[in-house]
Structure formats: C-alpha cells, structure tokens
C-alpha cells in the first residue's frame, strides 16, 4: 500500500472524530443550543422576579410613608378609627393575607451529549474500516499476495528429481 492510502485512513478516522465531536460532543452545537435555551428561560425568569421586586419595594415605601395606604391596609385587617362606627355582619369571609407570586423555581438541566470516548472510538472504528476496505481492494487487484506458496517461473533447463530403481 502506498503512503497516500495510509494518510487516507488517518484522514477518515480524524474526520469522523471531528464531526462526531462537533455535532454531538460535550462542546457541540447541540449542547450550545440547549444552553442558549436555558439562558433565555433564566433571563425571562430574572426579569419577572425583578418586576415583582420593584412592585414590592413600591408597596413597602407606600406602607412606610403614605397615611392613606396605611389606613386602607388597616381597614382590610378590620381596624377602625375613633370616629367610625362598627356594624357586625355575620357570614362574611375573614381577612386573608395576600400571597405574592415570587416566581417559579428553575432547575439547571445538564445538556445531553455523546462522551468523548465514544467519539474517539467511532473515529478509530472508521479508520479501521477504511483500512480494511483498502486492504481488500489491494488483495483483489493483486498488489498484496497472501498465499505462502509462491510459484516462481522456471527459466532455463528444468531439472526433475526422478528416483532411480
């Protein structure tokens, strides 16, 4: 086999390894797109939580400083001022605390990928397959002879061993 055939074998194995790593490996395009999707979801959740935080900060400042807001919350909790009269009505629901939406929990999801060992193994298997194919074609062409009995053409006078009896 010529050197070019050996280089072809190395090239085929390396090509398969690189393509597998690029498409399905740990740092592949597939993993990149999965991580981008997670980043988009986390950014959206972060924006929602920041909006909630802003609303709660405004509400806290109003409760600390605005007397009308303080009075409204006090009425919600059944407090009255001195000049108000109370009328007791039965059958109404009691005061319930307002629950604030604090967002949903987002868990980190590991991206799915093919291990580096498997990518290397596929490259080696591809190189061996190409080597086998090239060896078979060389054997069929007659460039490589596998038989041990090589027939050498006889030139000159043939000599026979004939037993004398």
């Amino acid at each position: 086999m010529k050197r070019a055939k050996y280089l072809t074998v190395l090239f085929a194995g390396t090509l398969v390894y690189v393509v597998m790593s690029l498409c399905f490996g740990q740092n592949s395009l597939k993993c990149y797109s999965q991580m981008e999707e997670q980043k988009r979801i986390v950014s959206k959740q972060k924006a929602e939580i920041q909006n909630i935080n802003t609303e709660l900060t405004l509400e806290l400042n109003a409760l600390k400083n605005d007397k009308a807001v303080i009075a409204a919350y006090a009425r919600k909790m059944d407090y009255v001022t001195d000049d108000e009269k109370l009328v007791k009505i039965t059958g109404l629901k009691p005061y319930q605390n307002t629950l604030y939406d604090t967002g949903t929990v987002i868990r980190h999801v590991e991206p799915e990928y093919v291990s580096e060992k498997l990518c290397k193994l596929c490259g080696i298997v591809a190189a061996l397959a190409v080597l086998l194919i090239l060896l078979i074609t060389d054997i069929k062409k007659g460039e490589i002879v596998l038989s041990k009995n090589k027939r050498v053409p006889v030139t000159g006078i043939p000599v026979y061993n004939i037993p004398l009896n």
Side-chain angles (χ1 to χ4, degrees):
M1 226 174 16
K2 296 181 181 179
R3 289 183 188 175
K5 291 184 181 181
Y6 289 118
L7 289 176
T8 304
V9 169
L10 289 175
F11 175 74
T14 305
L15 179 68
V16 168
Y17 166 70
V18 168
V19 168
M20 287 275 300
S21 292
L22 186 64
C23 294
F24 307 109
Q26 187 174 8
N27 296 322
S28 66
L29 299 173
K30 181 181 174 185
C31 287
Y32 180 76
S33 65
Q34 289 175 357
M35 296 294 271
E36 283 291 322
E37 179 65 20
Q38 281 188 16
K39 180 181 175 184
R40 186 190 62 76
I41 291 170
V42 168
S43 296
K44 182 180 174 185
Q45 185 68 19
K46 178 185 169 197
E48 288 177 11
I49 290 173
Q50 284 177 337
N51 290 339
I52 292 169
N53 187 29
T54 304
E55 290 173 11
L56 290 175
T57 303
L58 290 173
E59 193 172 330
L60 177 65
N61 288 336
L63 282 172
K64 284 183 179 178
N65 303 326
D66 193 357
K67 293 193 185 260
V69 174
I70 295 171
Y73 270 91
R75 283 192 189 93
K76 275 187 181 178
M77 295 189 300
D78 296 332
Y79 286 102
V80 292
T81 58
D82 293 335
D83 58 345
E84 292 179 330
K85 293 184 180 180
L86 292 176
V87 176
K88 188 168 186 167
I89 301 174
T90 58
L92 294 179
K93 291 183 181 178
Y95 169 73
Q96 294 179 351
N97 288 335
T98 306
L99 296 176
Y100 296 102
D101 180 26
T102 57
T104 57
V105 177
I106 297 177
R107 303 264 184 233
H108 173 69
V109 178
E110 284 292 324
E112 297 173 3
Y113 59 89
V114 175
S115 70
E116 189 70 19
K117 286 182 181 180
L118 185 61
C119 293
K120 289 178 182 178
L121 183 65
C122 288
I124 290 171
V125 167
L128 290 176
V130 170
L131 178 65
L132 184 64
I133 290 169
L134 291 177
L135 283 175
I136 290 172
T137 56
D138 283 348
I139 290 171
K140 283 187 177 181
K141 287 181 183 177
E143 293 178 14
I144 297 176
V145 179
L146 296 177
S147 65
K148 294 181 181 178
N149 296 333
K150 292 184 180 179
R151 294 191 177 196
V152 179
V154 178
T155 57
I157 302 172
V159 178
Y160 298 105
N161 257 343
I162 301 176
L164 298 172
N165 291 25

